[in-house]
Amino acid sequence: APEPPPERITIEGAMSVQELASLLRHSEAEIIKILFFKGIAATINQTLEVETIELVANELGITVETASHSAEAAKVTEMLESSDLDHLQRRPPVVTIMGHVDHGKTSLLDAIRNAKVAQGEAGGITQHIGAYHVDVEQNGEKHQIVFLDTPGHEAFTAMRARGARVTDIAVLVVAADDGVQPQTIEAISHAKAAKVPIIVAINKIDKESAQPDRVKQELTEFGLVPEEWGGETIMVPVSALQQQNLDTLLEMILLVAEVEDLYANPDRPAKGTVIEAHLDRARGPVATLLVQNGTLRVGDILVAGACFGKVRAMIDDRGQRVETASPSFAVEVLGLAEVPAAGDEFEVFSDEKSARAIAEERAAAQRQSRLAQAATARRVSLTSLS
Ligand code: GDP
Ligand code: MG
């Protein structure tokens, strides 16, 4: 029997009547007939624009998703399930700062944190857990932004290699006195590959030698054209050193977040990604978990990578013990039996027995693949010896 027509299709752009017909699983004649009744005369090889495709599909009761939406949907479905769709609530954006060495990534993270967190914070002690959040008031409304603050590039490379998607927005730092450099280009291509929107922070504008317009000019060569030149990329001149224009940068992040439709379902068990983890001599395995869906609670049973755990305590980025962590927030978690790897996904389970079983299964699989790798390596070294 022929397959029934789909409920929805995903398209990247224009396509021919023929291609559309096969995608919609209707005959070409039917497509042409629908077009005809819409007042559009079409032939089989004619190219149809997205709007026309939507017209036809809607007539057949089929939903059309364009690629940009479907990229978003893909990002979402990694962590969201269909049962979440009735409980979606906006979540704060998770932001990563990228850029060439010495262009001011650490300084910018620190400047934002100092400007937004240290002051007025009870105790004032900030905890470095690999992520922190700031509160930003905009039009009388309180918003939050979560910054990932992973030390070194390794954790990130590892996460990217595993395909873990933890970033909603990338802030690309480019020093105004140094311009586009190799790691700037690398960061742009990473963000583009992951379809993560980029906001450019042109840093060090306090310097005599700063040439922000030259930086903009250079960036256009990599497809980042500033809004004031008719492009779509938001570029904010800042000085991390002198804390200049940081509020504008935060506003722009919220603006982009607004467009990105960032949602999660807080009313379900948590799911997310390990941002970093280490073994603490006094506290045992300590992992910073970024909650990407659901709410994480003390007492939860979870599996992170191949590690089993029961959340004994959670500490937020301000050093406070907390009972819960909601979507987009990161917390340091105590109670894992082992140290997971950065980039591992974690998930809460309702039943301890199955959680332990899953963790053990994964650990066994990891041992197997390590053994296999070691065997291959041995064979290779033997071959090269002979
Ligand atoms: P990273 O390697 O990208 O993390 O860069 P850092 O934050 O470590 O900064 C590199 C150097 O640039 C340090 O000496 C900072 O003090 C300096 N720097 C960072 N931001 C600014 C700025 O806005 N203005 C000036 N003049 N120097 C800055
Ligand atoms: Mg740094």
Side-chain angles (χ1 to χ4, degrees):
E3 272 189 81
E7 273 171 34
R8 60 182 63 232
I9 56 167
T10 303
I11 58 169
E12 306 229 336
M15 67 178 74
S16 72
V17 169
Q18 205 166 24
E19 289 170 300
L20 181 63
S22 92
L23 200 59
L24 295 175
R25 300 205 192 95
H26 279 74
S27 71
E28 286 135 11
E30 272 172 293
I31 305 295
I32 290 172
K33 198 170 82 187
I34 290 168
L35 286 168
F36 176 79
F37 281 113
K38 298 273 175 204
I40 303 165
T43 58
I44 282 193
N45 293 318
Q46 188 158 334
T47 303
L48 305 177
E49 294 306 318
V50 173
E51 295 74 45
T52 317
I53 294 170
E54 280 172 341
L55 215 62
V56 175
N58 290 345
E59 187 69 28
L60 294 166
I62 296 169
T63 311
V64 176
E65 274 171 355
T66 45
S68 58
H69 280 123
S70 73
E72 197 53 49
K75 199 178 339 182
V76 157
T77 44
E78 263 175 42
M79 287 292 166
L80 289 189
E81 290 157 25
S82 53
S83 56
D84 294 325
L85 297 180
D86 291 335
H87 307 268
L88 294 183
Q89 287 185 27
R90 272 202 178 269
R91 60 175 180 81
V94 178
V95 178
T96 306
I97 309 244
M98 306 173 92
H100 195 70
V101 65
D102 282 347
H103 279 198
K105 297 179 293 295
T106 304
S107 305
L108 189 61
L109 274 164
D110 288 349
I112 292 169
R113 185 173 179 137
N114 290 337
K116 288 285 160 187
V117 182
Q119 74 200 12
E121 195 67 29
I125 307 159
T126 50
Q127 183 104 348
H128 278 275
I129 67 168
Y132 68 80
H133 77 275
V134 296
D135 299 309
V136 183
E137 209 171 284
Q138 202 177 43
N139 312 324
E141 267 180 70
K142 239 189 163 182
H143 298 270
Q144 279 143 336
I145 302 173
V146 175
F147 287 92
L148 293 185
D149 177 15
T150 43
H153 239 58
E154 302 81 36
F156 251 95
T157 325
M159 274 191 243
R160 271 198 299 261
R162 289 148 181 267
R165 197 195 286 267
V166 291
T167 305
D168 300 309
I169 297 169
V171 169
L172 178 68
V173 180
V174 189
D177 62 340
D178 200 28
V180 171
Q181 295 297 331
Q183 284 166 275
T184 315
I185 300 166
E186 195 186 304
I188 294 171
S189 61
H190 278 307
K192 284 199 167 168
K195 296 201 163 74
V196 172
I198 298 172
I199 296 174
V200 176
I202 302 178
N203 191 30
K204 309 198 187 185
I205 51 160
D206 59 283
K207 283 189 137 183
E208 286 281 348
S209 49
Q211 290 184 282
D213 274 346
R214 217 195 78 194
V215 173
K216 289 178 193 169
Q217 183 61 54
E218 289 173 356
L219 285 168
T220 59
E221 287 170 37
F222 298 93
L224 300 180
V225 181
E227 285 185 311
E228 61 268 33
W229 294 357
E232 287 182 348
T233 306
I234 297 172
M235 299 195 184
V236 187
V238 298
S239 166
L241 196 71
Q242 302 193 343
Q243 304 217 333
Q244 259 178 282
N245 236 0
L246 303 184
D247 282 331
T248 311
L249 179 62
L250 297 176
E251 266 174 45
M252 292 304 140
I253 292 172
L254 289 179
L255 197 78
V256 172
E258 181 81 34
V259 180
E260 284 289 293
D261 288 337
L262 307 171
Y263 292 101
N265 170 14
D267 308 321
R268 53 156 284 155
K271 230 176 161 179
T273 302
V274 177
I275 297 300
E276 58 180 56
H278 64 276
L279 186 64
D280 184 280
R281 240 190 258 168
R283 302 184 295 169
V286 178
T288 296
L289 305 185
L290 176 72
V291 178
Q292 292 173 282
N293 195 15
T295 298
L296 185 64
R297 296 168 198 281
V298 169
D300 276 350
I301 288 158
L302 58 83
V303 176
C307 306
F308 169 85
K310 187 164 183 175
V311 182
R312 197 167 75 229
M314 302 198 297
I315 299 129
D316 73 6
D317 54 312
R318 303 189 180 177
Q320 312 277 353
R321 277 196 173 233
V322 290
E323 290 294 314
T324 62
S326 46
S328 293
F329 286 89
V331 279
E332 207 173 59
V333 169
L334 309 186
L336 284 161
E338 275 153 295
V339 182
D344 277 349
E345 287 192 0
F346 79 87
E347 190 172 355
V348 167
F349 287 82
S350 55
D351 155 48
E352 178 161 346
K353 230 169 113 184
S354 46
R356 280 187 192 278
I358 288 167
E360 267 162 36
E361 231 170 76
R362 288 194 195 157
Q366 284 182 1
R367 276 194 299 274
Q368 275 299 325
S369 82
R370 267 199 299 273
L371 282 176
Q373 270 165 21
T376 313
R378 256 197 316 277
R379 260 200 308 281
V380 168
S381 61
L382 282 177
T383 324
S384 54
L385 276 177
S386 61

